[in-house]
Amino acid sequence: MDKMKIVFIANIVIIIALIVVMLSLKEGYKEQAQTVVRESTSAYTAEINKTLYAQGLFIDEWNLVWELVFESLNNKDRCLASFDKRVAALEASYLANPKNKAKLEKWGLKELKIKVDGKSNSRTVSCGDGCAVVFEFAGTNLKSVDYSALAAVNLSEKFKINQPASFNFNAK
Amino acid sequence: MNFKTFTILSIVMSVVLLITVFMQKGSYVSQAKEAYEKSTQKNYSDASYMVDAINTVVLKNSLLWKIACDASQRAKNSRDFALIEKQSDVNKVLLSPDTKTDKETGYLTRKVAWNSDYYIVASFNKKNSALVDINVDALLGRVEKSVEDHGFSEEDFESEEN
């Protein structure tokens, strides 16, 4: 067999091998592409949902605290015991709304509690990082409410959506 | 065509095949990248719009809540109320207040809003010498129309997870 024939036969073998390699890699790449797009996209969607849930939860808490402040200032019954009852009533009223119940379920919560730190003649209601409303009582009657932190809440840095991460074909 | 030509053609073919083997990954990567970016960019812009819109609602509703609470303690008539409004609205986000007399009660009402969905309504007695009530139902979502009516909602993103 002359050299030319050997080169030709060897080359045919290489061509067949390359076709086999190409076809098998093609399936692998296709599967990898579909998987990585699906997983990366849903990871980003989950990240967005996390922010939306946190924002939704914060807003419901924030609204409840404002309602508590407003009712405490406007109700003729300004005693401490009534304040504590009002907190419980607002929580119960929130829970009684089916729309709120559905939201709580989505957030993985059973109820929404107003975070109250009680002292003998004051109540501090927390509404997130660095935000607190202080209810001062003189004797048992409401003397003053400091809601300046609640009114100054600015969520633009607290809740924002980050740009999606750069695409990584080899992401696990 | 002689045998030599066949051999040369087969060598060219194997080189072409070799190049294709190396190039095909790039094609899948660029297609996948395009699909990922198209989907995530849409989610990013929709979600950013929604989160920013809600942040703005909170910021502006804070102002209405503050006016309602300040007025509950200090306003005796609509003039006091207007002064509290003016002092609180440093960024001029509020619309011109809508004042009228309630036909049933005869009370003077003052509606303060920053858009048609979010407002408070203060009522003063006939002589405008006492604040009778401040209605904050719109801030508590107890009237029709809410933040979620912006054309898309959290559910839009959830459905895309499936």
Side-chain angles (χ1 to χ4, degrees):
Chain A
M1 217 167 6
D2 62 13
K3 270 186 179 177
M4 194 62 85
K5 273 187 180 171
I6 294 169
V7 170
F8 182 74
I9 291 167
N11 213 37
I12 294 298
V13 172
I14 288 170
I15 286 173
I16 292 168
L18 281 173
I19 289 172
V20 170
V21 168
M22 194 177 76
L23 291 177
S24 62
L25 282 178
K26 186 181 173 177
E27 272 311 300
Y29 289 147
K30 191 178 169 187
E31 202 175 305
Q32 188 180 351
Q34 286 171 339
T35 307
V36 79
V37 168
R38 190 174 58 242
E39 288 178 357
S40 304
T41 306
S42 68
Y44 184 62
T45 306
E47 189 189 317
I48 287 178
N49 280 334
K50 205 173 155 189
T51 304
L52 290 174
Y53 289 177
Q55 188 190 40
L57 178 61
F58 177 88
I59 284 167
D60 280 11
E61 285 176 338
W62 177 83
N63 255 336
L64 267 185
V65 177
W66 267 123
E67 196 175 0
L68 177 66
V69 173
F70 184 76
E71 282 198 14
S72 301
L73 289 171
N74 284 283
N75 205 304
K76 281 174 188 161
D77 186 353
R78 295 165 75 90
C79 74
L80 187 55
S82 300
F83 174 87
D84 292 337
K85 280 183 194 164
R86 195 170 296 128
V87 171
L90 282 173
E91 288 170 346
S93 155
Y94 179 88
L95 199 59
N97 184 335
K99 206 174 159 186
N100 292 337
K101 247 185 172 168
K103 283 197 277 186
L104 286 172
E105 205 169 293
K106 205 161 61 179
W107 300 331
L109 297 173
K110 286 188 174 153
E111 57 186 0
L112 191 62
K113 299 296 274 184
I114 298 175
K115 300 174 196 83
V116 185
D117 184 23
K119 287 183 185 160
S120 62
N121 57 357
S122 75
R123 294 285 183 273
T124 302
V125 176
S126 161
C127 55
D129 311 331
C131 173
V133 180
V134 183
F135 297 79
E136 293 282 354
F137 293 83
T140 57
N141 277 336
L142 183 66
K143 187 178 74 180
S144 67
V145 187
D146 180 1
Y147 47 84
S148 52
L150 192 62
V153 158
N154 188 339
L155 303 182
S156 58
E157 282 305 311
K158 189 177 172 76
F159 299 115
K160 59 181 178 185
I161 302 293
N162 295 320
Q163 282 273 6
S166 301
F167 180 69
N168 179 7
F169 189 73
N170 297 314
K172 294 281 174 190
Chain B
M1 233 188 277
N2 59 23
F3 189 72
K4 192 179 171 186
T5 314
F6 271 123
T7 308
I8 291 167
L9 276 177
S10 72
I11 290 171
V12 170
M13 198 176 164
S14 57
V15 170
V16 169
L17 270 173
L18 192 64
I19 292 168
T20 310
V21 166
F22 282 108
M23 298 260 297
Q24 67 174 349
K25 184 179 179 182
S27 161
Y28 280 104
V29 171
S30 70
Q31 278 182 52
K33 187 172 184 245
E34 194 182 327
Y36 168 79
E37 285 176 351
K38 195 176 166 190
S39 166
T40 52
Q41 277 301 327
K42 187 183 181 310
N43 282 357
Y44 170 73
S45 58
D46 286 355
S48 291
Y49 174 80
M50 189 158 80
V51 166
D52 290 347
I54 295 171
N55 286 345
T56 303
V57 168
V58 168
L59 196 67
K60 293 182 176 176
N61 279 4
S62 271
L63 174 64
L64 292 178
W65 274 118
K66 184 182 179 300
I67 291 170
C69 291
D70 286 355
S72 298
Q73 299 171 91
R74 305 203 316 257
K76 289 193 169 52
N77 52 41
S78 63
R79 191 185 297 172
D80 293 346
F81 197 96
L83 188 64
I84 290 170
E85 261 174 60
K86 197 179 169 189
Q87 286 168 345
S88 305
D89 187 20
V90 285
N91 294 322
K92 309 281 177 214
V93 298
L94 297 178
L95 304 172
S96 295
D98 182 13
T99 53
K100 53 176 84 165
T101 304
D102 190 294
K103 281 178 188 166
E104 280 181 28
T105 58
Y107 291 160
L108 178 70
T109 63
R110 186 178 178 89
K111 183 178 176 183
V112 183
W114 62 268
N115 76 0
S116 58
D117 298 333
Y118 298 106
Y119 52 85
I120 53 175
V121 184
S123 306
F124 304 90
N125 66 3
K126 286 180 186 174
K127 290 181 183 171
N128 191 18
S129 59
L131 174 65
V132 180
D133 176 55
I134 301 176
N135 187 321
V136 293
D137 284 354
L139 299 184
L140 294 168
R142 288 179 188 154
V143 288
E144 286 302 311
K145 186 88 182 165
S146 71
V147 175
E148 289 168 4
D149 298 336
H150 276 291
F152 49 83
S153 67
E154 291 174 10
E155 283 74 13
D156 293 329
F157 297 99
E158 281 164 10
S159 61
E160 288 170 29
E161 278 184 35
N162 302 325

